[in-house]
Amino acid sequence: MMAGPQADKFDEFLMSKFRDPAIDRADAVLDAHLQAPGLQSLQNDLRQLSPEQRALVRRCVIEAIDGGLHDFLFALSEEHDADNAIVVLVDGQNVAAQSDGLHGEPYTDEGWFGRFSKHGVPPDPA
């Protein structure tokens, strides 16, 4: 079952307000483009890494972000299946009720990552 329009609207929000900014921030830290206090040491340490090592760090960061999103969406689905104690409403509709598994919606080119995130589907490192 494909997610309904309110679930898509919710995920477009998650992609544009959480996933994409988090990846952009990681890229800015990896490229030493931030002047925030406390980041100088981290950025200096990251500069010591080879391009291949920085790419590995970036993959790890994206995996952590996407894993957190997956777990969050899974928890929303579980709440819907249990007692609806925690729900996310978009335009008055429970987004978890519009999918048989919110946590699976982001993956594939037709999924939420491919449709709504400027960073797209994470590449398979194979």
Side-chain angles (χ1 to χ4, degrees):
M1 169 170 128
M2 291 296 292
Q6 289 82 14
D8 277 353
K9 190 175 186 179
F10 171 65
D11 197 67
E12 186 172 11
F13 180 83
L14 281 177
M15 295 300 109
S16 68
K17 303 298 183 195
F18 176 73
R19 183 180 194 255
D20 288 347
I23 294 171
D24 290 344
R25 181 164 179 93
D27 287 342
V29 170
L30 283 163
D31 294 337
H33 289 148
L34 297 179
Q35 300 301 316
L39 285 180
Q40 299 310 307
S41 176
L42 175 61
Q43 291 179 130
N44 287 338
D45 290 345
L46 290 167
R47 267 192 219 124
Q48 305 305 310
L49 301 177
S50 70
E52 293 81 14
Q53 290 169 320
R54 284 200 306 275
L56 180 63
V57 169
R58 184 178 192 274
R59 278 183 34 219
C60 182
V61 167
I62 293 171
E63 171 57 31
I65 292 166
D66 291 349
L69 277 170
H70 175 273
D71 293 348
F72 173 71
L73 294 169
F74 183 78
L76 285 178
S77 293
E78 289 289 299
E79 280 295 314
H80 172 70
D81 292 342
D83 60 7
N84 276 325
I86 297 173
V87 298
V88 173
L89 300 177
V90 174
D91 298 332
Q93 300 295 314
N94 179 344
V95 297
Q98 296 187 346
S99 172
D100 59 0
L102 285 175
H103 54 287
E105 298 287 351
Y107 303 96
T108 79
D109 290 334
E110 296 82 33
W112 290 344
F113 289 157
R115 291 179 17 228
F116 300 130
S117 176
K118 71 180 182 180
H119 295 285
V121 178
D124 186 356

